[in-house]
């Protein structure tokens, strides 16, 4: 009986350690991966792209107008918009891709084994799916920047994240509800 108790105690500890570890990699509001986990995964993907010369993409995404939504409808509706975006992202990517909440109103996707042309299709589909969602007669909209991981990108991911962020900034400056992709703009 004593051995059984020790064994159950050990199993409980392993379970709680696993739950704690998982919680340290997840955003509490959206249940997406968090920035920390994303950056760790990105490092590995950059090394994989270098070694096998594959195509993978990073997409920086911003929820358009979250401040206005929070100010006019309340933070509970802003939270609902964040959760809605997270849900649409998850439903429109593969299980092998990594969706994460990067912070505030920013999200990021790691689309593994994905050419830039296919990444554009994914983001266009996400934009179209969000157009079907309503939060008090408002539809959540996103802007995005898509870039390919290059073999020359630094392992820490700074260069690829900077390119994706610059493309996101251009999309937001152009009027939002759109995306930019390595000097190519696709607009609705």
């Amino acid at each position: 009986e004593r051995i059984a108790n020790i064994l159950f105690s050990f199993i409980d500890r392993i379970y709680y350690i696993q739950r704690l570890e998982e919680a340290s990699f997840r955003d509490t509001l959206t249940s997406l991966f968090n920035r920390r986990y994303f950056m760790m995964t990105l490092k590995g993907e950059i090394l994989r792209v270098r070694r096998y010369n594959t195509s993978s993409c990073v997409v920086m995404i911003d929820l358009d107008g979250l401040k206005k939504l929070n100010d006019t409808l309340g933070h509970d509706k802003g939270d609902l918009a964040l959760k809605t975006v997270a849900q649409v992202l998850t439903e429109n990517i593969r299980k092998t891709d990594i969706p994460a909440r990067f912070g505030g109103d920013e999200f990021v996707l790691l689309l593994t084994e994905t050419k830039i042309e296919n990444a554009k299709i994914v983001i266009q589909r996400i934009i179209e799916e969000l157009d079907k969602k309503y939060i008090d007669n408002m539809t959540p909209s996103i802007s995005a920047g898509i870039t390919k991981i290059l073999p020359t990108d630094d392992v820490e991911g700074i260069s690829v994240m900077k390119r994706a962020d610059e493309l996101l900034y251009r999309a937001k400056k152009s009027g939002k509800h759109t995306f930019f992709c390595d000097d190519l703009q696709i607009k609705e």
Side-chain angles (χ1 to χ4, degrees):
E1 187 177 311
R2 187 167 190 270
I3 293 173
N5 286 339
I6 291 170
L7 185 59
F8 284 127
S9 175
F10 180 71
I11 291 170
D12 276 349
R13 285 185 191 163
I14 290 173
Y15 172 79
Y16 287 116
I17 289 169
Q18 287 174 335
R19 304 304 279 160
L20 185 61
E21 184 177 86
E22 184 178 317
S24 73
F25 292 139
R26 295 278 180 181
D27 175 67
T28 54
L29 179 67
T30 64
S31 297
L32 293 179
F33 290 109
N34 61 23
R35 179 183 191 141
R36 178 175 165 236
Y37 181 84
F38 179 85
M39 293 307 292
M40 286 173 31
T41 306
L42 178 60
K43 288 177 189 178
E45 188 63 17
I46 291 168
L47 291 172
R48 206 175 67 70
V49 165
R50 282 183 183 178
R51 180 171 183 168
Y52 299 110
N53 198 28
T54 61
S55 291
S56 293
C57 294
V58 170
V59 184
M60 285 290 297
I61 300 167
D62 189 82
L63 174 57
D64 298 327
L66 180 62
K67 183 179 178 350
K68 180 182 175 190
L69 183 66
N70 281 335
D71 292 346
T72 57
L73 299 177
H75 286 272
D76 58 329
K77 298 298 181 185
D79 287 351
L80 180 58
L82 290 166
K83 290 178 190 176
T84 300
V85 170
Q87 178 185 355
V88 170
L89 292 177
T90 303
E91 290 172 353
N92 287 280
I93 61 174
R94 302 163 302 175
K95 299 282 184 213
T96 55
D97 298 326
I98 304 294
R101 184 166 176 210
F102 211 62
D105 58 357
E106 285 191 329
F107 297 86
V108 64
L109 298 175
L110 176 57
L111 303 177
T112 60
E113 293 290 329
T114 304
K115 294 184 175 165
I116 203 111
E117 297 81 22
N118 294 332
K120 290 188 238 178
I121 293 167
V122 169
I123 296 307
Q124 187 61 46
R125 185 173 61 233
I126 289 168
I127 288 171
E128 289 168 3
E129 286 301 313
L130 282 170
D131 286 344
K132 300 174 188 174
K133 306 287 183 186
Y134 290 92
I135 299 169
D136 283 7
N137 295 323
M138 295 178 74
T139 58
S141 122
I142 61 166
S143 298
I146 307 169
T147 192
K148 180 180 174 182
I149 296 174
L150 303 173
T152 55
D153 283 322
D154 62 285
V155 177
E156 297 300 312
I158 295 167
S159 55
V160 69
M161 293 303 293
K162 184 176 181 192
R163 281 196 315 277
D165 195 47
E166 287 169 355
L167 290 162
L168 168 62
Y169 180 75
R170 287 176 53 198
K172 291 200 76 74
K173 273 195 78 108
S174 78
K176 303 179 182 175
H177 196 251
T178 190
F179 62 89
F180 272 77
C181 172
D182 287 327
D183 295 324
L184 299 174
Q185 178 192 12
I186 308 293
K187 189 168 180 126
E188 295 208 14

